[in-house]
Amino acid sequence: MKITVAAFLISSMATSAIANVTDSTAQHPLYGKWAWTYAKNNCTEVYDYRPDNTSIVTSGEEIGESRFTIGDKPDLNGFYRMTDVVTKSNGRTGCDGEPGGTPVGDSATNYIFFNPTKSEMVMCQEPSFNACMGPLRRISP
């Protein structure tokens, strides 16, 4: 995964000279469906982030729903701060192999970094590339 994240970073840095022009009426780049596959067990997760700030995540046998907030703009290093709270889960085993799924009420703060075309992102535990998963690839707007 470190090699994949490193390649993602190099690609992002190589094109960082491109100016980011944001239209105030544009939707947030997070909205849409994203997919990521665990290399260790070939299990795919699909994240569907909706404009009403709800999401549905399918991970292995687990299907969960949540409510999230995300910053309108990234920080100076390009990370968007996102907080996510699980509102529903079918309690089945997800790609991580943990039985019982993610508990309702579970809250997480992650930091999202998009590549310049917004077609890929990494999800990090802090606003740095030290502990990230991804890249997640956009599968639909």
Side-chain angles (χ1 to χ4, degrees), residues 2-118:
K2 289 183 181 182
I3 292 172
T4 304
V5 171
F8 178 82
L9 293 174
I10 291 168
S11 170
S12 295
M13 289 177 191
T15 56
S16 66
I18 298 171
N20 277 338
V21 179
T22 304
D23 179 344
S24 61
T25 62
Q27 287 195 353
H28 199 285
L30 181 68
Y31 300 152
K33 285 188 180 180
W34 301 83
W36 178 69
T37 302
Y38 275 76
K40 68 180 180 181
N41 61 7
N42 206 33
C43 184
T44 298
E45 294 185 338
V46 175
Y47 296 76
D48 184 3
Y49 292 106
R50 301 171 174 179
D52 66 355
N53 286 37
T54 62
S55 67
I56 295 179
V57 177
T58 304
S59 174
E61 295 180 1
E62 182 180 13
I63 300 171
E65 296 181 25
S66 67
R67 178 160 293 288
F68 67 91
T69 58
I70 189 161
D72 291 333
K73 298 194 182 305
D75 66 15
L76 294 175
N77 295 314
F79 289 92
Y80 289 83
R81 184 178 190 271
M82 181 178 80
T83 302
D84 185 85
V85 179
V86 176
T87 57
K88 189 185 278 187
S89 174
N90 67 359
R92 296 195 177 169
T93 302
C95 289
D96 62 4
E98 293 295 321
T102 306
V104 171
D106 188 65
S107 178
T109 299
N110 292 299
Y111 297 86
I112 309 298
F113 186 90
F114 297 96
N115 73 350
T117 64
K118 309 288 191 276

